[in-house]
Amino acid sequence: MTADIVLLETTLPGEWDEEQVISFATLRVEAGLAACVQRRIGSTYRWRGELCDEQEWCLRLKTSESSLQELVAALVAAHPYDEPQVVHWRAGASDGYADWVEEQTG
């Protein structure tokens, strides 16, 4: 059997050190908005007409449907970028994992 959870991704500046990123992630877990946060990527993109290739931190947060909007609002409010990437999608998960995510965030 499977149940749904919500995965959300955002990026943070590559010049942030790991301690800053962990603090940013920990605040979301401590607030009960995310059950788990994973991190780190390289990105190639165009911003304001300039081609950029940078190391960034990619955070993948696992949350429940009931906490999604509050988590998005908290991320946007605290984010250092002018236009942060905040994308999310529903994903199937094992019943036990989905129950754990719901317990942590619901």
Side-chain angles (χ1 to χ4, degrees):
M1 300 282 313
T2 62
D4 285 345
I5 63 170
V6 179
L7 300 177
L8 183 144
E9 283 188 358
T10 192
T11 55
L12 294 172
E15 61 269 10
W16 277 26
D17 63 34
E18 191 165 12
E19 188 175 308
Q20 288 174 287
V21 175
I22 289 171
S23 177
F24 190 91
T26 299
L27 286 172
R28 278 69 208 162
V29 174
E30 286 178 342
L33 299 176
C36 177
V37 181
Q38 296 168 317
R39 53 194 183 274
R40 197 65 167 155
I41 62 164
S43 296
T44 301
Y45 59 95
R46 187 175 304 281
W47 180 248
R48 297 184 177 157
E50 183 179 332
L51 190 60
C52 303
D53 186 55
E54 300 180 18
Q55 290 296 310
E56 294 185 287
W57 293 95
C58 178
L59 302 186
R60 179 175 289 173
L61 301 92
K62 286 89 172 198
T63 193
S64 59
E65 184 70 40
S66 61
S67 292
L68 177 60
Q69 292 309 313
E70 188 177 355
L71 176 57
V72 169
L75 287 172
V76 170
H79 209 284
Y81 287 167
D82 293 337
E83 190 59 50
Q85 169 195 306
V86 179
V87 297
H88 56 85
W89 62 96
R90 278 122 192 100
S94 66
D95 288 339
Y97 190 77
D99 289 347
W100 176 77
V101 169
E102 184 64 37
E103 287 171 13
Q104 301 307 306
T105 63

